Amino acid sequence: MKKKLILTLIVLSFLFCACVEQTTPVKIRIDAVQAKDSYKQQIAISPMDFVTITKHTITIAPHEENKTYTVSGYFNGQIMVKTKNTTLKLDNAYLENTSGKAALRCTAKTEISSVGGTTNYIVSRGRGFAKNAALQGKRSLIIGGSGTLYVDGRICHAVEADNVKIKGSGTFYLQGTKRGSALTCESLEVESEKSFNAYLLNSRNGIKADGTISIASGNFYLYNNEVALKTEIDTGAGKKARAITLTGGTFHITGNGALYITAIGAFNAVGATFVNED
């Protein structure tokens, strides 16, 4: 009888420990500096048409739209994309800027695609006085692909652009700072039937939009932000529509000070799934 009791207590103890592990808040932090040691080769870009390289700046400015470039290897400085509808395929690339500026700056609509089976980094660090992002888009920015992408914005934001779309089936880690956002934009749109995993981590805001956040699919992990989802709240005369509309997608929530901030009555999450991991 005593042996059976002891065995029962051991089993119950094991089950209790397993439950505790499952409910322990998840904490993830990008360690981009340590990962850099794995990227020994200097940067390679293909094709080299309309690519200009100086010591700390690479400019990609094809004369026509809809050009695709593949980028691999290591570069310290700033890559600038200047032509509309250019696609950059990151194929085991480590792009950083240690002078406090954006590592990748797009002045026209650009797609950043992580190649399947590869791991890529976009990192800004150093002394920065402006509220710079590691990945900065002046107009529209698309993040996609089937590989893994880490964006580590140690100056302020991870990703900043006017209009952002996320697509593909890859895994994307975006980490800003406590004075910035993992993703900041005018508007964010995710269309239906997208299967990516997007981690928005350790920032003042996970996703911040001056206008709208519209998500219909995807897996979002909003970890350890002061506010997980935020839009501006002023809806006065002449102001753009400001709302958070989640008609699909799964949202894993842990360690955030607040789930959302938006205009009164402008949060609609019918169709979304929330998983509280706290």
Side-chain angles (χ1 to χ4, degrees), residues 27-237:
K27 294 198 175 184
I28 297 174
R29 180 162 293 279
I30 299 173
D31 192 352
V33 176
Q34 183 176 350
K36 184 172 70 172
D37 294 338
S38 301
Y39 296 79
K40 303 295 186 183
Q41 301 297 320
Q42 291 300 303
I43 191 168
I45 301 175
S46 178
M48 283 296 293
D49 300 344
F50 310 110
V51 177
T52 304
I53 301 178
T54 62
K55 186 176 181 181
H56 294 298
T57 305
I58 295 175
T59 302
I60 300 174
H63 291 175
E64 300 175 353
E65 296 181 19
N66 300 308
K67 294 292 186 180
T68 298
Y69 292 85
T70 300
V71 181
S72 60
Y74 173 79
F75 181 72
N76 185 353
Q78 186 172 88
I79 296 179
M80 297 185 65
V81 180
K82 291 190 171 184
T83 303
K84 184 180 179 181
N85 293 323
T86 299
T87 297
L88 291 190
K89 288 190 174 183
L90 303 184
D91 185 2
N92 286 320
Y94 192 110
L95 313 176
E96 73 168 338
N97 194 329
T98 57
S99 68
K101 297 180 181 179
L104 180 52
R105 186 167 181 262
C106 309
T107 60
K109 181 181 178 181
T110 305
E111 179 174 342
I112 309 301
S113 179
S114 183
V115 174
T118 71
T119 302
N120 304 279
Y121 286 84
I122 300 173
V123 184
S124 67
R125 58 191 182 93
R127 180 172 293 183
F129 299 99
K131 291 185 176 181
N132 289 327
L135 171 54
Q136 191 172 61
K138 181 67 177 175
R139 303 296 182 201
S140 296
L141 184 67
I142 301 170
I143 298 173
S146 56
T148 301
L149 173 63
Y150 293 89
V151 184
D152 189 5
R154 298 192 172 201
I155 305 304
C156 190
H157 309 300
V159 176
E160 178 181 19
D162 289 349
N163 305 300
V164 177
K165 285 188 176 182
I166 306 177
K167 65 179 189 177
S169 58
T171 301
F172 314 125
Y173 296 85
L174 312 182
Q175 176 176 275
T177 69
K178 289 303 183 182
R179 73 185 189 105
S181 303
L183 170 60
T184 183
C185 55
E186 288 286 335
S187 66
L188 168 68
E189 180 183 6
V190 178
E191 298 172 344
S192 60
E193 299 182 356
K194 308 304 178 186
S195 59
F196 61 80
N197 297 296
Y199 291 78
L200 300 115
L201 310 167
N202 308 320
S203 304
R204 183 173 182 179
N205 307 296
I207 300 173
K208 179 183 180 296
D210 290 339
T212 59
I213 297 172
S214 178
I215 296 173
S217 64
N219 301 294
F220 290 84
Y221 298 80
L222 294 147
Y223 290 170
N224 304 309
N225 306 292
E226 291 184 17
V227 181
L229 304 166
K230 183 178 180 181
T231 70
E232 294 295 339
I233 61 175
D234 188 353
T235 57

